[in-house]
Amino acid sequence: MIELSDEKVLYAFDRTLEPALTVASGETVRIRTKDCFGNQVQKPTDELDEIDWNHINPATGPIYVEGAVAGGALKVSIDAIEFDGQTASCTGEGEGVCGDRFNAWSTHLCAIDGDELVWDDALRIPLNPMIGVIGVAPAGDAVNCGTPGSHGGNMDNTAITTGATLYFPVSVEGALFGCGDMHAAMGDGEISVSGAEAAGWATVTLTALPELSLPDPVIENATHWGVIASAESLDAAADRAVHEMVDLICDRTGRPADEVVMLLSLVADVQVCQMVDPEKTVRFMVPKYVLDVLGFSL
């Protein structure tokens, strides 16, 4: 297995970046990632007003995947997520959903103990590992790692965890994949503007799918298929995700749209990923037991 250190990071997904690593299609890579603060918050006395805000939300990479071509897709299988022993969370003035309540930054550090996050002496939270920033280079201008879009980016999606597989639309040769901003726990919505931010290792398998064309990322896990969409509002993101999933099912199965829409209204779920970034992110998840009967395959 190849390992990639966090010495080479990107702060924007950008088609002009030089690869930190080149791999064959189907290669598995163990990637060292910094937390969203660039590992700048390590003790209670570390003030957010004093960190370098030009070095937040780093993603390790980019990784050039041989065989990935513009107009195709990149398959990313998440094989493992490992954390260091501590996390940091924050909120502050103008940040997140409740930023109107505060006039200063607040931070909270937690230890990781086995499969639990130690909030304080009385409360322990089960770990909910996920990768917050993950994606490929966009076709046009660079997109900072704090902003999600069709290329992926800061989707902050709790479904992006061990055992999940993502399919990204590729816009540039080699895809230029990167990931970072891992969370040991986070609720859907990420209302404070952070999860339990943690450094660690992400192990992924990267496979070029040059014949697959997608407008937005698609996610697959053991029980569901889904479309992930980002837009200026949650309403717009949900509308986009639903429409794209309907189109995908109709295209792959030949079923009429009215039948598919009525069926999805009974079995599928619109789920909020995050509502605090410059673009909001939603996933629309459809059970595999339904899609299997319809004859769906990507």
Side-chain angles (χ1 to χ4, degrees):
M1 183 189 306
I2 299 172
E3 286 193 356
L4 180 62
S5 77
D6 61 7
E7 292 181 1
K8 292 189 176 181
V9 299
L10 54 98
Y11 297 99
F13 287 90
D14 185 348
R15 61 185 295 130
T16 70
L17 293 176
E18 290 295 321
L21 177 70
T22 297
V23 300
S25 177
E27 191 75 63
T28 299
V29 187
R30 186 169 180 253
I31 302 168
R32 176 70 182 172
T33 68
K34 297 180 180 180
D35 69 19
C36 80
F37 304 111
N39 296 349
Q40 298 179 86
V41 180
Q42 297 294 315
K43 53 188 184 297
T45 55
D46 290 335
E47 296 285 345
L48 287 181
D49 286 330
E50 298 175 0
I51 71 172
D52 183 352
W53 286 92
N54 292 318
H55 291 87
I56 63 165
N57 277 325
T60 304
I63 299 173
Y64 183 105
V65 182
E66 294 175 345
V69 298
L74 180 70
K75 177 182 178 182
V76 181
S77 301
I78 302 174
D79 303 316
I81 296 174
E82 308 162 70
F83 296 118
D84 292 355
Q86 179 176 274
T87 73
S89 301
C90 73
T91 195
E93 183 178 4
E95 301 294 334
V97 176
C98 298
D100 58 310
R101 293 173 174 251
F102 311 119
N103 56 20
W105 284 104
S106 297
T107 58
H108 189 87
L109 304 183
C110 295
I112 294 176
D113 183 16
D115 293 330
E116 295 180 318
L117 191 70
V118 182
W119 180 259
D120 58 25
D121 291 342
L123 179 61
R124 288 174 173 248
I125 302 168
L127 294 190
N128 180 25
M130 57 164 288
I131 303 174
V133 171
I134 185 168
V136 297
D141 294 338
V143 179
N144 72 75
C145 287
T147 301
S150 296
H151 68 292
N154 194 26
M155 298 182 291
D156 283 325
N157 182 342
T158 56
I160 300 177
T161 187
T162 304
T165 299
L166 293 160
Y167 302 83
F168 291 102
V170 172
S171 298
V172 301
E173 182 179 329
L176 298 183
F177 171 83
C179 69
D181 181 38
M182 300 200 302
H183 301 158
M186 192 195 88
D188 285 340
E190 197 188 27
I191 65 161
S192 84
V193 85
S194 79
E197 309 290 340
W201 294 88
T203 302
V204 300
T205 301
L206 304 172
T207 306
L209 300 176
E211 303 302 320
L212 178 62
S213 179
L214 298 168
D216 274 309
V218 167
I219 187 167
E220 176 189 10
N221 58 31
T223 59
H224 288 74
W225 284 94
V227 168
I228 308 168
S230 299
E232 185 176 351
S233 69
L234 287 175
D235 283 351
D239 187 82
R240 180 169 173 164
V242 170
H243 276 277
E244 287 184 14
M245 194 72 207
V246 170
D247 289 343
L248 192 61
I249 294 170
C250 291
D251 179 67
R252 297 303 196 271
T253 67
R255 302 278 181 146
D258 57 346
E259 176 189 337
V260 170
V261 169
M262 288 187 289
L263 177 59
L264 295 187
S265 192
L266 304 185
V267 300
D269 294 305
V270 175
Q271 299 171 343
V272 174
C273 299
Q274 60 77 28
M275 53 194 298
V276 295
D277 293 334
E279 299 277 300
K280 318 309 178 191
T281 307
V282 163
R283 60 185 180 267
F284 185 54
M285 303 295 284
V286 184
K288 279 186 170 179
Y289 80 87
V290 174
L291 293 175
D292 289 346
V293 173
L294 298 184
F296 175 87
S297 65
L298 192 59

